[in-house]
Amino acid sequence: MGPFISDTFQLLLRHIRTTLRIPIWILVTLVQPVIWLALYGQLFRRIVDLPGFQVASYIDFLTPGVVIMTAFFGSAWSGMGLLSDLNEGVMSRLLATPVSRGAIIAARVLHAALTVVVQSSLILALGFVLGASFANGLVGSLAVVLVAALLGSGFSAISNGLALLTRREETLISVVNFFGLPLTFLSSAFIASVLMPGWIRSVARFNPVNWAVEAAREAVLGSDWTMVLGRASLLALFAVVCGVFATRAFVAYQRSL
């Protein structure tokens, strides 16, 4: 475990340095959620007047949803960095060293989770500035960040696994675009579940994005911590399964060389 932890940490530092060298990427990933929160918060603010909404302010309802949506979309593109390493020969040089093979995937997943933590914290702070009221205070906010990080870890692993199997940017872009918005709208990120059509509610029960949205919203606005823990457990299991998928994809990639 010693070499694995050390190698994971060093590779994580590499990914962080790479991110910091692309200021435009940092700007976009931070500003885009701000636009979503401000725009959607104003555009749909009267929707809380519909029967079924149990909150008086749409910004209270929306903020956890934007946190999860940002975590999902940001992590789903994680495989693009791996494709860049494959195309530029970085992966081949890594495999020629004694670096732990598991650390190569683990570092990328941790980098995605760390990015989600930073983004989630900023979105929650912005929501507070825009008037959101979080009944459970700091404890609820920390739970939201944890839930978002678990979701981000899972989808980052899926993205990296697909990148290793397909090895083409066009394929990964197509898959992310195909599933991205449907998974978001098949959740209660923007509207209360009681107002959804029955078939959407049924599908949402098996949607990890919806698990995260429900857990995040309950963590800041509700009191059912059993539900929060249950959804978080499902997300942790989801992250583990996705990690196994990414690991097997990496093994398949090595065998193909």
Side-chain angles (χ1 to χ4, degrees):
M1 286 298 294
F4 169 77
I5 294 174
S6 176
D7 292 346
T8 299
F9 178 71
Q10 293 300 324
L11 289 172
L12 176 61
L13 290 180
R14 172 189 173 247
H15 298 321
I16 293 174
R17 294 191 192 101
T18 301
T19 300
L20 294 177
R21 294 191 186 108
I22 313 175
I24 185 62
W25 184 88
I26 298 175
L27 179 65
V28 170
T29 56
L30 294 180
V31 171
Q32 191 175 47
V34 172
I35 295 174
W36 286 338
L37 190 60
L39 182 62
Y40 291 161
Q42 291 299 308
L43 184 62
F44 299 115
R45 61 188 179 89
R46 298 298 300 275
I47 201 172
V48 293
D49 296 335
L50 293 173
F53 272 89
Q54 299 178 350
V55 294
S57 170
Y58 187 61
I59 199 70
D60 293 357
F61 182 87
L62 179 64
T63 301
V66 171
V67 168
I68 299 306
M69 182 174 66
T70 303
F72 168 48
F73 279 111
S75 300
W77 293 109
S78 176
M80 296 298 289
L82 180 56
L83 284 174
S84 178
D85 280 357
L86 292 175
N87 294 332
E88 294 175 6
V90 176
M91 183 63 72
S92 298
R93 293 195 292 273
L94 273 177
L95 293 178
T97 70
V99 65
S100 170
R101 287 358 186 196
I104 296 175
I105 298 297
R108 290 193 172 276
V109 173
L110 285 176
H111 176 253
L114 180 61
T115 303
V116 166
V117 168
V118 174
Q119 289 176 323
S120 301
S121 301
L122 291 174
I123 296 170
L124 289 170
L126 176 65
F128 181 78
V129 170
L130 292 177
S133 176
F134 303 138
N136 294 324
L138 180 60
V139 174
S141 299
L142 291 176
V144 172
V145 173
L146 174 61
V147 165
L150 287 174
L151 182 75
S153 298
F155 278 104
S156 172
I158 289 178
S159 181
N160 283 286
L162 289 174
L164 288 165
L165 292 176
T166 63
R167 306 180 203 176
R168 292 183 62 89
E169 292 183 358
E170 298 86 351
T171 304
L172 183 59
I173 291 172
S174 298
V175 171
V176 172
N177 284 335
F178 182 80
F179 287 103
L181 285 178
L183 285 177
T184 301
F185 287 111
L186 289 171
S187 75
S188 58
F190 300 109
I191 193 167
S193 58
V194 295
L195 299 177
M196 295 177 180
W199 69 271
I200 292 183
R201 285 200 302 272
S202 299
V203 174
R205 292 173 55 193
F206 305 96
N207 181 3
V209 177
N210 191 58
W211 300 343
V213 170
E214 290 180 342
R217 188 167 289 133
E218 188 67 24
V220 293
L221 300 177
S223 59
D224 188 356
W225 288 99
T226 301
M227 188 272 274
V228 175
L229 181 60
R231 297 293 189 275
S233 299
L234 286 174
L235 288 168
L237 179 60
F238 172 71
V240 170
V241 171
C242 293
V244 171
F245 164 72
T247 302
R248 290 186 177 275
F250 188 66
V251 171
Y253 167 76
Q254 288 182 281
R255 288 175 177 171
S256 68
L257 296 178

